[in-house]
Amino acid sequence: MLPWEPMLFMFFSTIELMSIYYLIMSLFRFKWKHHAWQALFVTLIINLQSYLVRKELDMSNIAPLILIVIFILFFAAVVRMPLILSVIATISGYAIFAVIQTVIVLILFGSIGAIEGNKSNGYILQVLTSVVICSFFWHYYRKGKGFTFDIEKLRFKLEDIFLTTIIIIFLIGISILLYYNEIYLNILFFLVISIFFIYYSTGKEKEND
């Protein structure tokens, strides 16, 4: 292993995770600048554990699960989203990110194997994904689009049992997909999850009008 590999991993992964943070904050109409430094700190922690899990423990399948859990806690504790909104925002944001990145992989590299076998391609993919996401959602936010909620009206209800079940299926699904590494299955799975949570968010928004 090259001596600068951990630093490169941390640098490009931080760019990638900050783009996910920006995506989520823009999608749900929160001001990303208010918590940017806290988000940067959290992404560094996530990347450190991700590097250890992937490189030292050889357990890369669980790294995305840890990322999702930490992001849910971050949005609930730091951004002060209600827990239910934090869960919706994190999973829908991650799913949208996964769809965009997978499409970029298909267009530019043809397969996941081209990324796994070449670290430079992986770094290029992370930067391109971040540029696409930040450019699109900057425009999206500027147009006044996104989901807004009456935060005080978001309370835990019986319907959240169903949502929790979907979350569990999603987390298990991520592990299975990463294990088998089927790129078209990735697109289908994350696209379905994205549509579901966007639809669910729209329903919540209408309830709060």
Side-chain angles (χ1 to χ4, degrees):
M1 180 177 63
L2 298 174
W4 57 81
E5 183 179 326
M7 296 302 296
L8 291 175
F9 177 90
M10 292 288 291
F11 177 75
F12 288 103
S13 295
T14 298
I15 292 175
E16 185 178 61
L17 287 191
M18 287 301 290
S19 73
I20 298 177
Y21 162 77
Y22 184 79
L23 184 164
I24 293 170
M25 295 291 279
S26 299
L27 183 64
F28 290 88
R29 303 294 305 168
F30 285 88
K31 295 182 179 180
W32 69 272
K33 290 182 180 179
H34 287 184
H35 306 284
W37 285 108
Q38 296 95 320
L40 180 60
F41 176 76
V42 169
T43 58
L44 290 173
I45 294 176
I46 293 174
N47 289 333
L48 179 60
Q49 66 78 26
S50 179
Y51 183 82
L52 293 175
V53 167
R54 294 172 188 271
K55 302 297 182 180
E56 303 298 331
L57 302 179
D58 195 24
M59 298 171 62
S60 60
N61 289 352
I62 71 169
L65 308 185
I66 298 173
L67 184 157
I68 289 172
V69 170
I70 294 177
F71 259 40
I72 288 173
L73 295 176
F74 170 79
F75 287 116
V78 177
V79 183
R80 306 301 297 173
M81 292 183 185
L83 182 58
I84 183 64
L85 178 57
S86 176
V87 171
I88 293 172
T90 301
I91 293 184
S92 59
Y94 186 84
I96 292 169
F97 163 82
V99 169
I100 293 172
Q101 188 168 75
T102 304
V103 170
I104 292 174
V105 168
L106 281 177
I107 293 173
L108 296 183
F109 301 102
S111 69
I112 293 178
I115 302 299
E116 293 179 338
N118 190 316
K119 287 186 173 61
S120 296
N121 286 346
Y123 298 145
I124 292 171
L125 174 64
Q126 288 175 304
V127 172
L128 285 178
T129 304
S130 301
V131 170
V132 170
I133 286 174
C134 291
S135 299
F136 177 83
F137 282 95
W138 176 82
H139 182 73
Y140 182 88
Y141 187 88
R142 292 262 299 181
K143 289 291 185 180
K145 297 180 180 180
F147 300 107
T148 56
F149 300 87
D150 183 345
I151 299 298
E152 298 304 319
K153 290 184 179 180
L154 285 175
R155 294 288 183 266
F156 191 85
K157 300 177 182 179
L158 290 178
E159 68 184 40
D160 295 330
I161 296 175
F162 173 69
L163 179 62
T164 302
T165 303
I166 295 298
I167 292 168
I168 293 173
I169 294 173
F170 175 82
L171 297 180
I172 294 174
I174 288 177
S175 297
I176 295 174
L177 289 172
L178 290 175
Y179 180 79
Y180 287 103
N181 228 359
E182 293 291 340
I183 191 166
Y184 290 103
L185 191 59
N186 285 356
I187 292 178
L188 177 62
F189 183 85
F190 286 119
L191 189 59
V192 169
I193 291 295
S194 298
I195 293 172
F196 172 82
F197 278 106
I198 294 300
Y199 174 80
Y200 187 89
S201 299
T202 304
K204 279 289 185 182
E205 185 176 16
K206 290 179 179 178
E207 288 178 11
N208 293 332
D209 288 340

